[in-house]
Amino acid sequence: MKSKIIIAIMIFLLLPITGYAEETSSIDRLDQLSDEALQMVKLHRYEDAKKLLDYFSDQFRATSGQVSVLTSDEMRIVTVSHDEAVQATANATINHNEKINRVTKFRLVMDAITSQSQPLWTEMETPIMTVFGEMKEAAYNGDKEHFQTKFNTFLSLYDVIYPSMKINVTGERIQRLDTRIDFIDRYRPQVLADEGTQQELEALQADLQLLFDEMSDDEADPSLWWVIISTGSIIILTLSYVGWRKYKGDQQKEKNRSRGQK
């Protein structure tokens, strides 16, 4: 009787986890579609990419009412980035690199939603920080043309990861980055001439580097560890109890056998 009760409790506790896994698997399938669409764009197969994105839209609408893991903000970010990706694959006037950027942006959004740690957008650290360093060097050297070029490149790269950052990073930190970037963009001439204004470059670089470092060091979601530990504990306890019952049963059989031989 006790073993049945323990098994029933274990099944009851695992039911919510099973439900969550079903929701997660739906998101994972959508994430895979976004990756396949990006691969098609890289191969210049824009029509195939658009078909995949259209299919994504159908599947997203079909599952959005069932998938409760997405917040309203995440739903909006997915929708906007998906629309941009569709427009990029359907518009023949948009060049190949811009198509890749827009579909990559969408791909990174889906990964940011599904990743437990170290989302793909953090892999953009090297190109972003390299361009930023070159931009800062041009500013200190007073090289206006080089500074303008590198800053525009930085803005393009930052735009690719921005929606996915908003999923994984707090609004307060995003706002601080936005304020610094807007300031540098608005006062570009002063950045080249004024040492005080150039300190914004140092501050922005420090904020970006800290963000990338923290995301790279990020570990698994604590709630996931709770699921692993609690589920593991239940299984261990159940197996221990079953093993103890088997041991007692074997002992009783041995006693009965001994009595029968006497």
Side-chain angles (χ1 to χ4, degrees):
M1 182 65 181
K2 289 182 179 179
S3 61
K4 292 182 179 179
I5 293 174
I6 291 178
I7 293 173
I9 292 173
M10 186 179 79
I11 294 173
F12 175 78
L13 290 173
L14 287 176
L15 283 176
I17 300 171
T18 303
Y20 181 82
E22 290 174 355
E23 292 181 349
T24 304
S25 63
S26 298
I27 293 295
D28 288 339
R29 286 194 293 270
L30 294 174
D31 178 47
Q32 184 177 1
L33 284 173
S34 71
D35 181 62
E36 291 172 359
L38 177 58
Q39 300 311 314
M40 291 299 101
V41 172
K42 289 180 178 179
L43 295 172
H44 297 261
R45 294 170 58 178
Y46 306 132
E47 291 185 7
D48 290 334
K50 186 177 183 304
K51 289 178 182 178
L52 286 168
L53 291 170
D54 289 341
Y55 181 66
F56 175 97
S57 182
D58 294 338
Q59 294 300 304
F60 187 68
R61 282 195 296 266
T63 60
S64 59
Q66 305 169 11
V67 178
S68 59
V69 294
L70 297 184
T71 66
S72 57
D73 286 339
E74 289 171 343
M75 292 280 287
R76 179 180 55 80
I77 292 172
V78 170
T79 301
V80 172
S81 61
H82 174 266
D83 289 345
E84 289 185 9
V86 170
Q87 292 171 9
T89 56
N91 192 336
T93 63
I94 297 178
N95 64 50
H96 179 68
N97 288 338
E98 182 59 23
K99 290 179 188 292
I100 287 181
N101 284 348
R102 294 193 188 183
V103 180
T104 297
K105 183 190 298 188
F106 171 59
R107 170 73 185 96
L108 294 179
V109 163
M110 292 308 302
D111 176 79
I113 289 174
T114 58
S115 295
Q116 295 294 331
S117 63
Q118 296 186 9
L120 279 177
W121 64 263
T122 61
E123 298 298 321
M124 295 285 286
E125 175 184 357
T126 297
I128 286 178
M129 298 309 295
T130 299
V131 169
F132 191 95
E134 294 171 347
M135 175 188 75
K136 188 177 72 171
E137 182 180 1
Y140 286 165
N141 292 335
D143 189 340
K144 179 180 178 180
E145 183 177 352
H146 198 54
F147 170 75
Q148 297 283 11
T149 300
K150 292 301 180 180
F151 187 51
N152 289 336
T153 302
F154 165 77
L155 291 178
S156 296
L157 291 173
Y158 186 75
D159 180 66
V160 171
I161 69 171
Y162 187 71
S164 47
M165 282 177 56
K166 292 174 72 175
I167 292 173
N168 299 135
V169 181
T170 63
E172 181 181 353
R173 296 191 71 173
I174 293 292
Q175 181 61 44
R176 184 163 64 246
L177 290 171
D178 287 348
T179 300
R180 295 196 188 284
I181 292 173
D182 289 344
F183 179 86
I184 295 170
D185 192 19
R186 183 177 302 176
Y187 299 103
R188 292 193 189 198
Q190 287 89 327
V191 172
L192 290 166
D194 180 46
E195 291 185 2
T197 307
Q198 288 173 355
Q199 293 303 310
E200 284 296 318
L201 289 174
E202 299 288 349
L204 177 57
Q205 185 179 34
D207 284 348
L208 286 170
Q209 191 60 63
L210 179 62
L211 176 61
F212 280 121
D213 289 344
E214 289 179 353
M215 293 302 299
S216 297
D217 293 338
D218 188 25
E219 297 180 353
D221 188 345
S223 62
L224 179 62
W225 283 114
W226 182 90
V227 170
I228 294 172
I229 293 171
S230 60
T231 305
S233 299
I234 293 169
I235 294 172
I236 291 171
L237 287 172
T238 303
L239 292 176
S240 299
Y241 178 78
V242 171
W244 177 79
R245 286 297 301 268
K246 185 176 184 302
Y247 170 74
K248 294 296 289 184
D250 290 342
Q251 277 194 328
Q252 188 62 45
K253 289 180 182 178
E254 186 63 30
K255 287 181 180 179
N256 293 338
R257 189 178 300 111
S258 298
R259 290 173 182 172
Q261 292 175 352
K262 290 181 179 180

